Amino acid sequence: MDIDKKIRQELAKEKAQLSQQQTADASLFAMLGDAYKGRLGGWMVLMSIIALLLSGLMLWSGYQFFFVVESLHELIRWGVTLLLSSMMQIAIKMWTFNEVNRNALQREIKRLELAIATKESL
């Protein structure tokens, strides 16, 4: 078999797979689901668990800061804990959405590669 025919067949298979996987307008939840299935899916699960733990820490330290604390030293400690956990939560969410964006960009580049390859083969 000719190498050009092999390449065309592989491209056709890949195009069929991509068209099955992709919808015209993927929702945010669909794109997040794709990120969990992607190459860094394990990291996404780990970051989700850490974000959940940080949410609990944020709620607890916020409760302590606003309702329970009586001394200034404890007030500062719980306030710093609240700020740091909030900042860490923001960083994890930024990483998550950057990963979603990377996956979407990678998918668009793959579509362009397939479109160029099919135009050249005609």
Side-chain angles (χ1 to χ4, degrees):
M1 184 183 281
D2 190 11
I3 188 73
D4 289 333
K5 287 181 183 179
K6 283 184 180 179
I7 292 173
R8 286 188 190 114
Q9 286 176 350
E10 288 298 319
L11 285 172
K13 276 197 266 181
E14 198 170 311
K15 185 177 181 180
Q17 287 175 350
L18 282 176
S19 65
Q20 288 175 354
Q21 291 174 354
Q22 298 169 346
T23 59
D25 256 345
S27 68
L28 177 62
F29 293 116
M31 291 191 328
L32 275 170
D34 289 342
Y36 281 98
K37 296 173 194 169
R39 190 173 49 130
L40 296 177
W43 284 102
M44 290 287 291
V45 170
L46 178 66
M47 289 299 124
S48 296
I49 292 169
I50 292 172
L52 185 65
L53 293 174
L54 283 172
S55 296
L57 179 63
M58 250 175 26
L59 288 172
W60 180 251
S61 60
Y63 173 76
Q64 293 292 324
F65 180 78
F66 288 110
F67 297 113
V68 175
V69 174
E70 294 178 4
S71 71
L72 183 62
H73 175 69
E74 287 182 40
L75 186 70
I76 291 172
R77 184 180 64 168
W78 286 113
V80 168
T81 304
L82 178 62
L83 286 174
L84 288 177
S85 60
S86 298
M87 290 170 60
M88 290 168 59
Q89 180 84 282
I90 290 168
I92 287 174
K93 298 298 180 189
M94 286 176 62
W95 181 83
T96 299
F97 284 104
N98 280 336
E99 180 65 21
V100 169
N101 185 37
R102 185 188 67 79
N103 284 342
L105 185 61
Q106 194 173 20
R107 197 169 32 248
E108 291 299 321
I109 289 172
K110 190 57 134 176
R111 280 184 185 169
L112 285 173
E113 286 176 350
L114 288 172
I116 290 171
T118 55
K119 292 291 181 185
E120 287 178 357
S121 66
L122 293 178

